[in-house]
Amino acid sequence: MGDRRWRRAGSALMRVIAVWAVSTLTMLALAGILPDFRLQSADGDTVTKTAFTAAWGAGAFGLLSALVWPVLVRALLIVPALVLGMLVFFLNGSLLLIALRLIPDGRGAAAPETAVVVAAVMSAVASATSTALAVRDDDAYRRRLSRLADRHRRRSGTGDARGGPPGTVFIQLDGVGHDALVRAAAEGLMPTVAHWLADSEGHRLTPWRTDWSSQTGASQLGILHGSNHDVPAFRWYEKESGVVMVSSKPASALEMQRRAVARTRDGGLLALDGASRGNLFSGGAGQLALVLSMAARLGKGRRSRAGYFAYFSDPANAVRTAGSFVAEVCREIAQSTRSRLRKETPRIKRGGLYPFIRAFATVVERDVVVAAVMGDMFAGRTAVYADLVAYDEVAHHSGPRSRDAEKVLARLDRSLALIDKVAEHTPRTYRIVLLSDHGQSPGDTFAGVYGLTLKDLVRAGSGLPVPRRAQRTRSASEARDAVRIALHRPVAEGQEEHVAKPSDPIVLASGNLGLISFPDIQGRASLEQLESRHPALLSTLANHPGIGFLLVRSERHGSVVLARDGVRVPVADLADGHGPLAPFGPGAADAVRRTDTFPHVADVMVNSMYDPATGTVHAFEEQIGSHGGLGGEQSRPFLLWPRSMTDPLDALADEDGDRPDALVGAEAVHRVLRCWLSEASGPQLPVRADGAPGTGAGRWTRRGRARRGQGEGSGTGAHP
């Protein structure tokens, strides 16, 4: 035993010496290349003396990076995350200048701007060398994982031996539709996914249908918390409070989560030893990082932003991500310039802060979330759910089928490959499940095609003045609001969040889904009231070529769907394949009927046109790749799961063995994921109304389904 310890100590010492040697050589090479960086006295030194100076400087820089850098990052958690990212180069360069001052006889010196370059290169080289040595030294790698596993075991009191129950990692590729994933795998853009699908013991793929509101707020709330009841869109107006709820606003996300927990009496999918990373909602997890709903609860989002610390505490990570951030900004500027010069259509403006928002979504958030997931796997956590928003953000502005979006998919695949590789070395086995919350449908914007926004059209139909210059609605991009959280700025503070004057209708947009509310009409306005007040409004909307159908309540006929040429069909009579919803495919009628029952459904719900031949819709926002309503790939996300797990439709079968024909709705996906967790970990207890563990009622069957007439809860604690 003693000999083994000595061998381990010797191996660790050799790795330190190797990294030190490589860093020394790197410093010598940079001193020979860069004119403002020297390692010699003014009179010159021998080669041996110069090498000694470089070794001293490299060692001092390494020690400062190991000891001082984590303290600096933790102290700077009060600084907004994006600002911290921009400070990375300056801080690293400052450490190098300090290291050079520690060299005897003042032989080391560098200009401040040169120090930044030298520090960045040395950190990257040291990180690459250390990683390469650790990978080659399997014993060292396993020891590191063992220490992490032991630490987690002592903290949680749970067993996590590799021979025990497997853990599950759910990776959400935000906005990647089923067809987009299939194309990317077939065209070689996502070789990891292609390998999973081709392997006879790998994964299986199935599409699922979203609710009418095909966007992250509704889908992820349903997936993580089991209910997305009364979430009619990405943003909606609540008359009783005069508040506009916005899914990507922390206060709204927290309230949505609270309502879901109250409805299901369940903490969430991740309540049992779970981790939530980069999501809108916590899922009941005890381990949180970059979770939007928690930003409102904890003041200035400090706990949510604490997820940055684990990643940026390694200076090499910080330098690499900051460099990639700058490269991504340059890439976006080059791509948008190329698009303008080629006069590509459809096209929207991509200037202002968008290049930085895109870089945040595709680089910073991706790197931090992936690192957090790997840390969770090393710690042996039971369930991890993480959202990668990169594709969704780029597809909104470049188009879901653009080269820009395809390149993002390729980079996301590399992240999946890294997670898959890590799973081979974790202290417990892991099943990796890939899924999406919605897809994206292409198409020019409503304003781009018709020269006016939905708000302009509503005002014109209501007899109200319309400004000459159309005032376009804000984007519903989740990444945009995530950046505001990172900057400590108020989220989504715009005109749509202020209560309109009683005489003005409130018009909100969620992709190609529009919501019209009249604040001065108590309760849900009726068709008869609207026709009396604004005789031209409903006919103007229903007959517009850019609009597919409307949903409005009638006092005489119940809720009805309106379409062109005077078509009026009661909601109860809607059928797939017939009438105004025929182009929108299977499940459209049920989706509309379900939304019609929501307490906060808008007075008038507006869905844009959809062309089945091209798959295009017209977003009511500035997006050429959109989601939020019915029509095309946006309503067709995917679920990719290991073949060893129960088929999703089998997981939804009733006690008589009758299976549904399709996987429909985010709440159904929640039940499937719950079943898979139950298969691995055994039955769990529901949550009582007071948030304490339940005692018997609503126990889960072997497959994880709730028995008829009993509760559906299975969490161990609520995190509203």
Side-chain angles (χ1 to χ4, degrees):
M1 194 69 175
D3 292 342
R4 182 177 299 178
R5 288 198 188 97
W6 281 109
R7 284 197 300 270
R8 290 176 180 175
S11 178
L13 179 61
M14 291 303 297
R15 287 198 303 276
V16 170
I17 293 174
V19 172
W20 189 4
V22 171
S23 298
T24 299
L25 293 174
T26 302
M27 184 171 276
L28 283 170
L30 292 173
I33 296 172
L34 300 175
D36 295 329
F37 179 39
R38 66 176 179 82
L39 295 173
Q40 296 177 328
S41 64
D43 299 331
D45 286 323
T46 64
V47 173
T48 303
K49 189 68 173 178
T50 303
F52 174 80
T53 302
W56 186 286
F61 180 65
L63 283 175
L64 288 173
S65 297
L67 301 177
V68 178
W69 181 267
V71 178
L72 284 176
V73 173
R74 186 173 291 280
L76 289 173
L77 277 179
I78 60 174
V79 176
L82 285 184
V83 177
L84 174 60
M86 302 307 293
L87 284 174
V88 162
F89 289 113
F90 170 76
L91 293 173
N92 219 25
S94 299
L95 290 181
L96 180 73
L97 289 175
I98 294 173
L100 293 177
R101 288 185 177 275
L102 295 176
I103 297 176
D105 302 327
R107 282 182 164 78
E113 60 275 12
T114 304
V116 170
V117 175
V118 173
V121 173
M122 288 189 62
S123 294
V125 170
S127 177
T129 304
S130 179
T131 301
L133 291 173
V135 169
R136 293 181 62 87
D137 187 347
D138 291 337
D139 287 338
Y141 196 61
R142 282 194 293 270
R143 285 196 301 273
R144 177 172 181 265
L145 298 181
S146 178
R147 286 195 301 270
L148 287 168
D150 289 342
R151 186 185 310 164
H152 171 72
R153 188 159 40 237
R154 289 193 301 269
R155 184 173 61 247
S156 63
T158 59
D160 53 9
R162 193 162 181 86
T168 309
V169 175
F170 302 103
I171 303 294
Q172 177 180 300
L173 298 185
D174 205 302
V176 180
H178 174 272
D179 296 345
L181 186 80
V182 171
R183 285 195 301 268
E187 294 171 5
L189 294 172
M190 303 187 78
T192 302
V193 173
H195 172 70
W196 287 348
L197 290 172
D199 187 350
S200 60
E201 298 181 357
H203 288 60
R204 296 176 62 189
L205 175 68
T206 187
W208 64 276
R209 290 204 302 267
T210 66
D211 305 288
W212 187 0
S213 181
S214 54
Q215 46 86 23
T216 304
S219 292
Q220 196 179 86
L221 185 65
I223 292 171
L224 288 179
H225 286 281
S227 172
N228 59 6
H229 177 77
D230 203 21
V231 181
F234 184 82
R235 48 170 66 88
W236 68 93
Y237 175 67
E238 299 191 343
K239 289 187 178 182
E240 70 275 14
S241 62
V243 170
V244 173
M245 298 284 287
V246 184
S247 298
S248 61
K249 182 180 178 183
S252 296
L254 180 62
E255 176 60 18
M256 292 165 66
Q257 181 173 308
R258 186 198 66 77
R259 293 177 185 180
V261 170
R263 183 175 179 84
T264 62
R265 298 177 60 215
D266 179 76
L269 183 73
L270 308 174
L272 181 64
D273 188 31
S276 180
R277 309 300 187 186
N279 300 311
L280 295 182
F281 311 104
S282 73
Q287 298 292 326
L288 306 170
L290 317 186
V291 176
L292 193 74
S293 63
M294 294 297 101
R297 181 182 180 184
L298 298 170
K300 297 186 178 181
R302 289 189 64 182
R303 185 176 176 187
S304 176
R305 286 184 9 266
Y308 291 107
F309 172 76
Y311 184 78
F312 285 119
S313 60
D314 182 343
N317 287 345
V319 170
R320 181 172 59 251
T321 295
S324 298
F325 182 93
V326 173
E328 187 70 11
V329 170
C330 296
R331 183 181 294 113
E332 162 55 26
I333 293 173
Q335 290 173 346
S336 60
T337 301
R338 181 188 64 200
S339 177
R340 285 198 308 273
L341 293 176
R342 294 180 177 180
K343 298 182 179 180
E344 296 175 354
T345 56
R347 185 179 73 252
I348 60 174
K349 294 181 180 179
R350 290 158 56 178
L353 291 177
Y354 171 68
F356 300 94
I357 294 169
R358 166 176 164 168
F360 175 83
T362 58
V363 175
V364 179
E365 193 165 34
R366 178 202 64 198
D367 287 355
V368 172
V369 168
V370 170
V373 169
M374 292 190 296
D376 292 328
M377 296 169 71
F378 290 159
R381 295 196 174 98
T382 299
V384 182
Y385 193 104
D387 186 13
L388 298 175
V389 302
Y391 173 84
D392 191 61
E393 178 61 26
V394 174
H396 277 316
H397 295 80
S398 300
R401 302 172 186 172
S402 64
R403 288 180 56 196
D404 301 356
E406 289 178 345
K407 291 178 180 178
V408 172
L409 286 176
R411 292 197 290 273
L412 287 176
D413 188 82
R414 290 196 288 271
S415 296
L416 297 177
L418 181 60
I419 292 172
D420 190 34
K421 185 67 176 176
V422 164
E424 298 176 3
H425 302 279
T426 49
R428 71 189 298 173
T429 57
Y430 273 97
R431 308 171 301 174
I432 299 176
V433 175
L434 204 61
L435 73 160
S436 58
D437 48 347
H438 54 78
Q440 285 216 15
S441 296
D444 205 348
T445 66
F446 185 86
V449 175
Y450 302 108
L452 78 171
T453 66
L454 177 62
K455 181 176 181 179
D456 296 327
L457 186 62
V458 170
R459 291 182 63 86
S462 301
L464 298 171
V466 178
R468 290 184 179 181
R469 177 173 294 180
Q471 188 170 3
R472 301 184 176 188
T473 56
R474 291 173 179 256
S475 168
S477 164
E478 294 90 338
R480 187 177 301 272
D481 287 338
V483 169
R484 290 190 178 100
I485 290 297
L487 290 173
H488 289 183
R489 294 176 56 191
V491 176
E493 286 192 348
Q495 64 177 36
E496 71 269 29
E497 290 192 27
H498 296 294
V499 177
K501 297 178 180 179
S503 59
D504 288 350
I506 294 179
V507 182
L508 303 174
S510 177
N512 73 318
L513 178 64
L515 295 86
I516 306 169
S517 300
F518 295 84
D520 55 342
I521 298 179
Q522 188 174 5
R524 187 177 176 184
S526 69
L527 180 149
E528 290 79 10
Q529 285 176 301
L530 295 177
E531 288 187 333
S532 174
R533 290 187 174 209
H534 309 290
L537 174 61
L538 295 179
S539 60
T540 297
L541 293 172
N543 288 294
H544 192 281
I547 290 177
F549 66 90
L550 316 176
L551 171 67
V552 64
R553 181 183 68 87
S554 169
E555 296 174 2
R556 291 190 293 271
H557 308 291
S559 296
V560 295
V561 165
L562 311 182
R564 266 166 266 178
D565 302 322
V567 171
R568 294 191 178 189
V569 180
V571 167
D573 297 337
L574 290 174
D576 292 334
H578 302 282
L581 299 187
F584 295 91
D590 286 339
V592 171
R593 269 191 290 268
R594 179 174 184 264
T595 301
D596 183 58
T597 66
F598 291 170
H600 291 111
V601 64
D603 293 336
V604 183
M605 300 285 289
V606 184
N607 204 98
S608 87
M609 58 72 65
Y610 167 61
D611 183 354
T614 60
T616 57
V617 300
H618 294 322
F620 299 123
E621 306 178 79
E622 280 293 283
Q623 298 173 349
I624 58 174
S626 67
H627 56 88
L630 290 172
E633 295 185 26
Q634 64 180 316
S635 302
R636 189 178 163 89
F638 72 88
L639 186 60
L640 183 74
W641 76 98
R643 293 176 181 268
S644 60
M645 300 164 73
T646 300
D647 184 280
L649 299 184
D650 288 337
L652 296 175
D654 60 25
E655 292 181 351
D656 297 327
D658 295 330
R659 300 178 358 145
D661 295 329
L663 184 55
V664 180
E667 294 179 1
V669 175
H670 171 86
R671 294 195 295 273
V672 171
L673 304 192
R674 180 80 81 180
C675 166
W676 289 341
L677 292 180
S678 180
E679 287 178 335
S681 303
Q684 303 170 30
L685 294 175
V687 170
R688 296 202 311 259
D690 61 1
T695 57
R699 286 181 185 153
W700 290 88
T701 66
R702 183 173 54 84
R703 277 184 169 170
R705 297 186 300 274
R707 293 174 179 170
R708 291 183 180 178
Q710 297 177 341
E712 292 185 350
S714 70
T716 57
H719 297 266

